[in-house]
Amino acid sequence: EQEIHRKARRFAKLLVEEIILYNREKVDEGRAKRDLYARLKDDIDKSRATYDKRYAQTPAAAGNYFTQELISTLAANDSSLLGTGFSG
């Protein structure tokens, strides 16, 4: 079970890092204007669906690793940068 959690965390990190890599300008603007989720909604939702397809039916689902990674990596540990439309 620990292995599934480790893999889920690593996969979440990879997905969020890809969002940042391919959307650097939107990420910078979103951080500045505190609306990351609104700017990156399509990419975030697609990545979340990919993550959920792989881990939603596993013990890792309780870890909510994708959301944690969005907050820690994309929003630099400041969930308010994701904006009002973000519900986790």
Side-chain angles (χ1 to χ4, degrees), residues 1-8 10 55:
E1 193 171 304
Q2 266 187 327
E3 182 67 12
I4 207 92
H5 285 278
R6 188 181 65 74
K7 286 181 178 181
R10 190 171 68 214
Y55 291 104

Side-chain angles (χ1 to χ4, degrees), residues 7-23 27 40 42-55 65-67 69-70 73-74:
K7 286 181 178 181
R9 278 191 296 270
R10 190 171 68 214
F11 190 57
K13 185 171 185 65
L14 172 72
L15 291 170
V16 173
E17 286 175 347
E18 271 189 352
I19 292 170
I20 294 168
L21 178 66
Y22 294 114
N23 298 282
V27 169
L40 297 164
D42 290 341
D43 292 301
I44 290 171
D45 291 349
K46 285 177 192 172
S47 292
R48 182 186 302 280
T50 300
Y51 177 84
D52 286 347
K53 185 176 179 183
R54 189 175 290 189
Y55 291 104
Y65 299 121
F66 185 77
T67 298
E69 199 60 40
L70 283 175
T73 302
L74 182 63

